[in-house]
């Protein structure tokens, strides 16, 4: 997936930490089936607030967990990483900057997700997160086997 989003202020991380709950469940969930991709939102919630904006999202390789990026580690509880514009943030959830990255772009921003590998590229901010690091998974399996052998002795 390759998506280009317009200038603005964005959050990169697990979108459940920043996106308004009604937009998350009623638009991305009910209307869009929690599908990966670039999605346009034009939605009026139960309180009469009009939400508009475009976000991009994709599933991680192994679902929930903690994944290391160039700039920070990203906790994931919804099995996804995405790019959410400020217009879709739930202000009651806070800024999300402790859970993801907040940045502003004066031009466009590119979000790429392929086989559990994510990149965000724009002037002033670049991030890369590999959630499909099979080497780490293999190392963990080998460590588990070694620990089991030690336990048997």
């Amino acid at each position: 997936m390759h998506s280009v989003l317009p200038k603005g202020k964005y959050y990169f991380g697990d979108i459940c930490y920043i996106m308004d709950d009604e937009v998350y469940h009623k638009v991305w969930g009910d209307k869009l089936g929690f599908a990966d991709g670039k999605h346009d939102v034009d939605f009026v919630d139960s309180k009469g607030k009009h939400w508009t904006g475009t976000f991009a999202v994709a599933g991680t390789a192994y679902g929930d967990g903690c994944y290391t990026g160039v700039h920070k580690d990203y906790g994931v509880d919804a099995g996804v990483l995405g790019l959410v514009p400020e217009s879709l943030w739930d202000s009651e959830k806070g800024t999300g900057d402790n859970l993801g990255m907040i940045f502003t772009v004066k031009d466009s921003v590119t979000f790429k997700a392929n086989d559990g590998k994510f990149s965000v590229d724009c002037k002033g901010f670049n991030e890369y997160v590999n959630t499909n690091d099979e080497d780490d998974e293999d190392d963990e399996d080998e460590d588990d086997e070694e620990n089991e052998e030690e336990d048997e002795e």
Side-chain angles (χ1 to χ4, degrees):
M1 176 178 72
H2 179 122
S3 301
V4 177
L5 283 77
K7 68 180 180 178
K9 189 171 185 179
Y10 286 91
Y11 162 90
F12 172 70
D14 186 331
I15 69 171
C16 77
Y17 297 139
I18 196 80
M19 186 177 276
D20 174 75
D21 286 338
E22 281 194 61
V23 174
Y24 183 93
H25 291 289
K26 291 183 178 178
V27 177
W28 187 48
D30 295 345
K31 183 179 176 188
L32 301 169
F34 296 110
D36 288 359
K38 178 180 171 184
H39 304 291
D40 294 320
V41 174
D42 188 354
F43 171 73
V44 177
D45 69 16
S46 61
K47 297 174 188 159
K49 182 170 181 179
H50 189 196
W51 297 90
T52 59
T54 301
F55 72 99
V57 64
T60 63
Y62 296 108
D64 299 348
C66 186
Y67 300 102
T68 301
V70 172
H71 298 286
K72 70 181 296 170
D73 292 338
Y74 296 89
V76 174
D77 284 323
V80 298
L81 288 172
L83 198 56
V84 181
E86 186 176 28
S87 63
L88 300 178
W89 297 357
D90 180 346
S91 61
E92 292 179 14
K93 289 185 176 183
T95 61
D97 57 352
N98 60 330
L99 302 166
M101 293 292 289
I102 304 285
F103 60 98
T104 301
V105 293
K106 295 179 182 176
D107 204 2
S108 61
V109 57
T110 302
F111 174 80
K112 295 179 186 175
N114 184 21
D115 195 30
K117 297 172 184 157
F118 296 80
S119 68
V120 177
D121 298 300
C122 61
K123 292 179 183 172
F125 180 76
N126 295 294
E127 180 63 298
Y128 176 79
V129 181
N130 183 357
T131 69
N132 193 11
D133 194 350
E134 293 174 355
D135 293 336
D136 285 349
E137 195 73 22
D138 292 342
D139 291 344
E140 287 175 18
D141 291 343
E142 288 172 14
D143 290 343
D144 289 344
E145 288 172 15
E146 288 175 14
N147 290 338
E148 286 175 15
E149 289 173 9
E150 288 173 9
D151 290 343
E152 290 173 5
E153 293 174 359

